[in-house]
Every structure is written in structure tokens, then in C-alpha cells.
Amino acid sequence: MTTRRPALFLDRDGVLNVDRGYVSRVEDFEWIEGAIDCVANFKRRGWFVFVVTNQSGIARGLYTEEDMQTLHAHMAEELEKAGTAIDHFYYAPWHEAGEIARYRRESIDRKPGPGMLLQAMADFPVNREQSFLIGDKQTDMEAARAAGVGAFLFTGGNLATFAEWALASFEDGVRG
């Protein structure tokens, strides 16, 4: 029997990295202050850490899935250099008004839908009741609630500091 563990779900743009609008190239990527420390702190606790990110820029034809995978590989390399890791990157390339036909559709995976979080909980032995999401938009909060996990709205500053506050609040019964 595999022991279930809590998970920290993190939105990408605006939470892990500075949101410059459709960030898809390594040269445009910049970590949010405290982002790497946040991941490391939760991994040290034995938590899963997942990225759950809408990537409608793919459907809009602004960049490709390969571009996004290259950026995620860069993030993973930087985290590895710091001695930590993301357990899995989940992304939703869909948008109902997309320019690229194969990505033009509605999807439960696209936040505010809970699909990416539910998929992570199906793929890994996650303890849902002890898990929460940090996002920077109301759609992130809605997705977390729909998936049955806590939710905290990040509005800037040091992500590691915010995540520690969120964890303490969550442990005190605040669900975001």
C-alpha cells in the first residue's frame, strides 16, 4: 500500500515565474522571488509539487507544445541545480476560440475546470484533504475548489514566504 501524501499545486505564470504574457521562451522566463525555495521547502516536507497551467497560447498559435516543453525542461534543470524538483507539469493547451483546430475546444482540464488537479490525484497517491493550490487568478481558486483542495490567491511578493503563510493558515483550518 502506497502512503498518500499532501500535494502543493502551483500555477505557473504569475506564481512560479513573472507573467509577461504567454511566456514560452527561456530568454523571457524569470523566476518569481522565492519560487525555487518554495518548491524546495515543500519537497523537503515530503509533499508532491505539481505545476497546473493553462497554456492557451498553444491553441492561439503563439507558440508550440514543443516550445512549452523546452521551457518546462529549463525550469526542471534550474530546480535540479538547486537540489529540488517538480513532480509533474500538467498543462491545458486548449481554448474554445483557438486558432489551431486540434486545440480549439472546451476542456475540463482548462482552469477553472479541475481536470489537471484531478489527473494529478489519479496519477500520484495524493492526500486530497491535506493538499492546496496557490494561484494568481480566480479561475485557479475555482479549479482548486472544484477538485476538493484548498486554494490561496497569490498577489505578489516572495512565493516561499507566501506559501509558508498559506500552509500555516491551511493547517489552522483556513481553506483559502
Side-chain angles (χ1 to χ4, degrees), residues 63-80:
Y63 53 92
T64 65
E65 278 191 79
E66 293 74 23
D67 295 333
M68 183 207 60
Q69 297 291 5
T70 298
L71 182 62
H72 288 174
H74 168 74
M75 292 172 69
E77 289 168 17
E78 297 256 306
L79 290 165
E80 185 178 357

Side-chain angles (χ1 to χ4, degrees), residues 115-130:
M116 290 184 282
L117 289 88
L118 296 174
Q119 189 61 56
M121 290 187 274
D123 293 344
F124 294 84
V126 171
N127 184 324
R128 179 188 315 249
E129 296 76 27
Q130 294 180 326

Side-chain angles (χ1 to χ4, degrees), residues 23-173:
V23 175
S24 62
R25 301 177 325 149
V26 170
E27 52 268 27
D28 296 330
F29 181 86
E30 179 186 349
W31 290 102
I32 289 276
E33 180 186 1
I36 293 173
D37 289 338
C38 171
V39 173
N41 292 344
F42 278 79
K43 292 298 291 179
R44 264 194 299 278
R45 288 184 173 99
W47 285 49
F48 292 113
V49 178
F50 303 114
V51 171
V52 289
T53 179
N54 284 347
Q55 290 296 310
S56 70
I58 295 168
R60 296 173 195 275
L62 301 174
Y63 53 92
T64 65
E65 278 191 79
E66 293 74 23
D67 295 333
M68 183 207 60
Q69 297 291 5
T70 298
L71 182 62
H72 288 174
H74 168 74
M75 292 172 69
E77 289 168 17
E78 297 256 306
L79 290 165
E80 185 178 357
K81 286 179 195 169
T84 193
I86 296 291
D87 288 286
H88 195 80
F89 290 83
Y90 291 91
Y91 66 95
W94 325 108
H95 195 280
E96 54 278 356
E99 295 291 320
I100 310 299
R102 69 182 169 138
Y103 298 113
R104 187 184 315 122
R105 68 177 175 90
E106 291 184 22
S107 172
I108 191 173
D109 291 338
R110 182 172 167 72
K111 295 176 286 182
M116 290 184 282
L117 289 88
L118 296 174
Q119 189 61 56
M121 290 187 274
D123 293 344
F124 294 84
V126 171
N127 184 324
R128 179 188 315 249
E129 296 76 27
Q130 294 180 326
S131 300
F132 64 91
L133 174 143
I134 296 175
D136 66 330
K137 294 182 177 62
Q138 281 305 316
T139 51
D140 297 318
M141 305 300 100
E142 293 169 34
R145 284 191 281 276
V149 302
F152 293 91
L153 187 65
F154 180 67
T155 57
N158 184 300
L159 182 61
T161 302
F162 180 84
E164 294 303 314
W165 168 83
L167 177 59
S169 298
F170 192 72
E171 289 174 340
D172 286 342

